[in-house]
């Protein structure tokens, strides 16, 4: 129903409320309307869940609770798929981001599915940290009588593949829960297997759920689970126009960073500062042709890829992964080519990881040429995966555009220059005006505070500055009164000060209250963002004490850990706390969504 057709008789609103609502909506553009819609939906869900009726409580034992922990959005997508399939079967469903789940509620659950990713060195995603920690603590309840099924998503090129999912299933069963459907550990090319798992898990849960829940099913969605009005998504990306690719590091810089602008006109795609953009790219045609030659494959040979029949050359350019190496490719390629050396390498997991670390798939084929059938090659490869980039713009500022800050991955090895799959395509081969397939990946755990008076601390060295450029645009557009403090770092002031003119403009206008920069190679002793934090420790702690939100974006393995340690030291020194109390202080910040990370 349209607002223009709304009457007080047709809604729970009074005539005066309808009039006010119509007046407000008339003043909003489509992007603002979408934001208000999501905001109201989240508040309504909170209110409903906070005051459940007795009948809802009575049916709680027959609810299938879907808990998801997602780093890049894949686990959230599968959880939503699971929810939709459960609803289609008439089951009562509660979909909850682990970040929003109260761990003590576990003792009230009877039917649980867990969909969780793993990142880094086998670590749980940010969403799942608290629940994972709770399950391994002495506070974890006995779960006898609980039925559970666990699905893991990960990347087999990493050593601790799907470890978080394994952890969850292990702890649930140790606490007495019954695993009623086999856990699946799925690689990056997970879509088909995820669908099979979803159907199998629901087959296992359905008889008991339907026996207990009675005649009517409910759908409960926790706040923070965004929906999109656009038809375009990861499975159906939008063919956008590449408007601009501009190098923003100096000629003598050791880094090649590009500012990229993409038009979203005609897509109805909306995003919020803190979201990411998924980009599908094309593999290098020159290297594809070399690969086909090395394997004695005719480029025009038709192959089957899913439900499509296309030429092998087109498949290699558009659809299959040829840059990022992973163990399954080596194993399959070794078997398909009967290569004794590769078979031996594949048998030893440590040797296999050491072998693939410096090599792209192009290298493996170049070093082990053979005669191979076109379909056999395709069957060795997994589907090309979109690369996710933190969005560097606010839609309030750039409207039907989206901006990215992309560091070109480039390295010399085996006597030739190598480039990253997507960064190489955008920086080196794609021409302005080209069509690029994209989608928005919402990140509800990296958001500006809803209260625009709240102060914000941002730490974003290198390309980690991207979401904070978006934050600053959004704070300016919303006329936020809260102070903004940015810590930025890179090697050299003259070569690597990304968005320098913009940042100085924000300082001059007052949008940016403080800017601290760390150019590590401009003096004898290297200086990094964590050093700048410590130097300003007293004021950083004062900002936290007055309610500031703290954000970190960039390298997960070193920078984010160093910043976390600096923050711990600051809380201990200027808060007069023990190390244990400082840890608890930062944990409280995370629980309040005041300490958020976008790390990779």
């Amino acid at each position: 129903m349209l607002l223009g057709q709304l009457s007080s008789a047709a809604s729970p609103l009074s005539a005066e409320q309808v009039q006010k609502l119509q007046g407000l909506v008339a003043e909003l553009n489509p992007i603002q309307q979408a934001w208000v819609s999501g905001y109201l939906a989240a508040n309504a869900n909170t209110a409903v869940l906070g005051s459940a009726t007795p009948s809802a409580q009575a049916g709680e034992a027959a609810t299938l609770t879907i808990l998801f922990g997602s780093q890049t959005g894949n686990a959230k997508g599968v959880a939503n798929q699971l929810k939709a399939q459960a609803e289609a079967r008439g089951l009562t469903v509660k979909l909850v981001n682990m970040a929003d789940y109260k761990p003590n509620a576990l003792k009230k659950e009877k039917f649980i599915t867990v969909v969780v990713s793993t990142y880094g060195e086998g670590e749980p995603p940010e969403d799942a940290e608290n629940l994972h920690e709770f399950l391994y603590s002495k506070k974890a309840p006995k779960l006898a009588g609980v039925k559970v099924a666990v699905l893991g998503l990960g990347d087999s090129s990493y050593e601790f593949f799907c470890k978080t999912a394994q952890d969850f299933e292990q702890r649930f069963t140790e606490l007495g829960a019954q695993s009623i459907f086999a856990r699946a550990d799925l690689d990056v090319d997970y879509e088909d297997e995820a669908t099979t798992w979803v159907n199998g898990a629901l087959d296992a849960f359905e008889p008991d759920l339907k026996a207990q829940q009675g005649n009517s099913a409910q759908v409960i969605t926790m706040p923070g689970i965004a929906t999109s009005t656009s038809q375009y998504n990861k499975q159906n990306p939008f063919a956008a126009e590449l408007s601009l690719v501009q190098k923003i590091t100096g000629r003598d810089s050791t880094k090649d960073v590009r500012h990229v602008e993409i038009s979203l006109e005609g897509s109805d795609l909306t995003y919020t500062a803190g979201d990411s953009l998924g980009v599908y790219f094309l593999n290098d045609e020159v290297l594809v042709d070399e690969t086909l030659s090395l394997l004695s494959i005719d480029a025009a040979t038709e192959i089957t890829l899913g439900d499509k029949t296309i030429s092998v050359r087109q498949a290699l350019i558009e659809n299959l992964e040829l840059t990022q190496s992973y163990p399954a490719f080596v194993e399959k390629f070794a078997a398909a080519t009967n290569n004794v050396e590769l078979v031996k390498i594949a048998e030893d997991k440590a040797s296999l990881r050491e072998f693939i670390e410096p090599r792209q798939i192009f290298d493996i084929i170049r070093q082990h040429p053979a005669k191979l059938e076109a379909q056999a090659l395709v069957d060795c490869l997994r589907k090309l995966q979109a690369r996710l980039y933190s969005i560097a713009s606010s839609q309030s500022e750039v409207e039907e555009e989206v901006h990215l800050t992309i560091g070109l991955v480039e390295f010399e090895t085996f006597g030739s220059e190598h480039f990253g799959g997507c960064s190489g395509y955008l920086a080196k081969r794609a021409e302005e005006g080209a069509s690029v397939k994209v989608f928005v990946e919402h990140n509800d755990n990296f958001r500006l505070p809803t209260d625009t008076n709240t102060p914000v601390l941002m730490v974003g060295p290198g390309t980690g500055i991207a979401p904070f450029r978006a934050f600053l645009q959004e704070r300016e557009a919303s006329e936020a009164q809260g102070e903004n403090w940015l810590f930025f770092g890179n090697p050299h002031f003259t070569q690597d000060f990304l968005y320098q003119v913009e940042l100085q403009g924000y300082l001059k206008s007052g949008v940016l209250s403080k800017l601290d920069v760390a150019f590590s190679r401009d003096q004898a002793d290297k200086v990094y963002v964590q050093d700048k934090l410590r130097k300003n420790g007293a004021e950083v702690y004062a900002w936290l004490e007055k309610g500031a939100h703290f954000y970190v974006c960039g390298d997960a393995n070193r920078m984010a850990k160093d910043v976390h340690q600096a923050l711990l030291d600051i809380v201990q020194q200027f808060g007069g706390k023990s190390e244990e109390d400082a840890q608890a202080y930062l944990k409280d910040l995370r629980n309040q969504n005041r300490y958020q990370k976008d790390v990779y």
Side-chain angles (χ1 to χ4, degrees):
M1 178 183 291
L2 297 174
L3 274 172
Q5 303 169 325
L6 195 62
S7 70
S8 57
S11 79
L13 303 179
S14 68
E16 183 181 359
Q17 288 172 323
V18 169
Q19 187 175 6
K20 288 180 179 179
L21 184 57
Q22 289 171 329
L24 172 62
V25 171
E27 298 175 4
L28 303 178
N29 63 38
I31 293 169
Q32 292 169 324
Q33 290 179 22
W35 184 91
V36 170
S37 175
Y39 175 80
L40 292 174
N43 275 277
N45 284 328
T46 304
V48 169
L49 288 165
S51 55
T53 63
S55 60
Q57 292 171 345
E60 189 174 2
T63 297
L64 176 62
T65 297
I66 303 170
L67 301 174
F68 72 87
S70 190
Q71 192 70 22
T72 62
N74 291 339
K76 181 172 74 172
V78 174
N80 275 293
Q81 178 185 353
L82 178 58
K83 169 180 173 285
Q85 292 295 322
E87 290 170 10
R89 297 181 182 220
L91 303 178
T92 299
V93 182
K94 180 170 67 179
L95 176 65
V96 195
N97 184 331
M98 291 182 187
D100 299 319
Y101 189 72
K102 304 297 184 189
N104 287 329
L106 277 175
K107 53 193 170 191
K108 300 178 183 177
E109 306 285 3
K110 293 298 179 185
F111 304 96
I112 301 173
T113 52
V114 171
V115 184
V116 68
S117 63
T118 297
Y119 93 107
E121 302 300 313
E123 299 160 19
E126 292 276 319
D127 290 358
E129 279 185 359
N130 280 345
L131 185 57
H132 184 271
E133 182 181 328
F134 177 82
L135 284 170
Y136 278 85
S137 73
K138 294 179 180 179
K139 295 180 180 179
K142 297 298 182 184
L143 298 176
V146 176
K147 296 186 175 181
V148 66
V150 178
L151 177 66
L153 299 181
D155 184 339
S156 62
S157 60
Y158 290 93
E159 182 177 357
F160 300 99
F161 177 55
C162 288
K163 184 178 184 301
T164 303
Q166 296 160 19
D167 290 347
F168 270 102
E169 184 177 64
Q170 177 184 332
R171 282 303 292 157
F172 271 111
T173 53
E174 287 174 354
L175 294 168
Q178 176 191 357
S179 180
I180 67 166
F181 191 67
R183 188 191 77 247
D185 296 336
L186 306 187
D187 210 342
V188 295
D189 190 7
Y190 63 87
E191 285 89 349
D192 292 342
E193 291 178 276
T195 298
T196 300
W197 186 90
V198 164
N199 289 328
L202 290 175
D203 286 344
F205 279 111
E206 187 171 5
D208 285 339
L209 279 165
K210 285 198 167 176
Q212 293 187 35
Q213 75 180 24
N215 297 322
S216 60
Q218 310 160 42
V219 178
I220 306 171
T221 304
M222 293 293 283
I225 300 173
T227 57
S228 174
T229 56
S230 175
Q231 63 179 305
Y232 299 106
N233 52 36
K234 183 179 181 181
Q235 289 71 39
N236 181 37
F238 175 66
E241 181 183 334
L242 183 62
S243 307
L244 176 70
V245 180
Q246 182 178 40
K247 188 177 180 183
I248 56 173
T249 43
R251 182 177 56 188
D252 298 323
S253 174
T254 56
K255 298 184 177 186
D256 185 337
V257 177
R258 306 293 175 112
H259 173 74
V260 176
E261 297 184 2
I262 295 171
S263 171
L264 298 179
E265 186 175 357
S267 69
D268 291 326
L269 282 169
T270 60
Y271 60 87
T272 302
D275 287 341
S276 295
L277 190 77
V279 182
Y280 289 99
F281 60 95
L282 302 180
N283 285 312
D284 188 335
E285 294 185 21
V286 173
L287 295 180
V288 166
D289 290 337
E290 180 190 358
T291 297
L292 291 170
S293 176
L294 288 168
L295 298 174
S296 302
I297 295 173
D298 184 339
T301 305
E302 291 194 334
I303 54 89
T304 300
L305 190 64
D307 57 0
K308 296 191 300 184
T309 300
I310 57 176
S311 75
V312 65
R313 185 175 189 271
Q314 181 183 351
L316 292 178
I317 292 171
E318 298 179 7
N319 305 108
L320 297 167
E321 183 65 67
L322 289 171
T323 48
Q324 188 178 54
S325 299
Y326 52 96
F329 170 75
V330 179
E331 293 164 358
K332 292 178 181 179
F333 186 72
T337 57
N338 294 313
N339 187 300
V340 176
E341 180 186 351
L342 287 179
V343 168
K344 186 176 181 181
I345 290 171
E347 288 173 348
D348 184 320
K349 297 301 181 186
S351 296
L352 179 54
R353 294 191 184 283
E354 185 178 340
F355 174 77
I356 66 175
E357 198 277 328
R359 291 173 172 83
Q360 295 183 335
I361 288 175
F362 288 121
D363 294 314
I364 296 170
I365 294 172
R366 188 179 288 133
Q367 293 167 9
H368 300 276
K371 185 175 177 60
L372 193 62
E373 294 295 323
Q375 188 65 51
L377 171 63
V378 169
D379 292 343
C380 289
L381 298 166
R382 66 188 184 192
K383 291 179 185 176
L384 185 146
Q385 298 298 307
R387 304 304 198 249
L388 288 178
Y389 295 99
S390 302
I391 291 175
S393 56
S394 164
Q395 214 159 9
S396 301
E397 171 76 18
V398 302
E399 298 181 342
E400 291 188 302
E401 288 183 2
V402 61
H403 298 177
L404 306 175
T405 310
I406 295 178
L408 174 64
V409 176
E410 54 183 331
F411 55 98
E412 187 90 18
T413 187
F414 306 119
S416 64
E417 197 170 26
H418 289 60
F419 298 104
C422 193
S423 66
Y425 172 66
L426 290 173
K428 291 290 186 180
R429 301 194 306 279
E431 296 181 356
E432 291 178 2
S435 178
V436 183
K437 293 180 180 179
V438 302
F439 62 93
V440 172
E441 190 63 63
H442 297 289
N443 184 359
D444 296 316
N445 296 307
F446 201 76
R447 288 283 185 258
L448 280 166
T450 53
D451 182 353
T452 58
N453 293 311
T454 303
V456 167
L457 284 153
M458 300 165 282
V459 182
T463 56
I465 195 174
F468 303 134
R469 181 176 184 263
F471 277 17
L472 290 170
Q473 287 185 0
E474 182 64 30
R475 295 281 269 191
E476 181 178 50
S478 63
E479 298 182 352
Q481 297 303 303
E483 295 176 289
N484 304 298
W485 187 355
L486 174 65
F487 290 83
F488 172 74
N490 238 350
H492 298 286
F493 171 82
T494 58
Q495 302 293 320
D496 306 305
F497 197 164
L498 307 183
Y499 303 113
Q500 177 184 357
V501 174
E502 289 184 19
L503 294 178
Q504 289 173 334
Y506 284 133
L507 270 175
K508 186 176 180 180
S509 69
V511 172
L512 193 54
S513 312
K514 292 176 69 68
L515 173 62
D516 276 271
V517 292
F519 293 104
S520 58
R521 307 303 197 274
D522 280 351
Q523 58 283 308
D525 296 324
K526 294 177 182 178
V527 178
Y528 298 103
V529 286
Q530 60 267 25
D531 301 316
K532 290 290 185 175
L533 280 168
R534 286 191 172 92
K535 185 176 179 180
N536 292 274
E539 192 170 1
V540 167
Y541 184 71
W543 275 50
L544 294 176
E545 284 292 280
K546 66 181 180 182
H549 285 216
F550 189 91
Y551 301 89
V552 183
C553 181
D555 173 60
N557 293 325
R558 290 167 296 178
M559 183 277 297
K561 291 179 179 178
D562 291 340
V563 166
H564 183 81
Q565 185 59 53
L567 207 52
L568 271 176
D569 295 343
I570 287 168
V571 172
Q572 287 180 72
Q573 180 180 353
F574 297 100
K577 300 181 185 298
S578 66
E579 182 176 354
E580 184 178 354
D581 288 342
Q583 292 276 14
Y585 183 91
L586 295 189
K587 184 177 179 181
D588 286 343
L589 290 183
R590 288 202 303 272
N591 291 340
Q592 298 167 36
N593 292 322
R594 288 179 51 208
Y595 180 11
Q596 300 181 29
K597 301 176 189 175
D598 178 10
V599 295
Y600 38 83

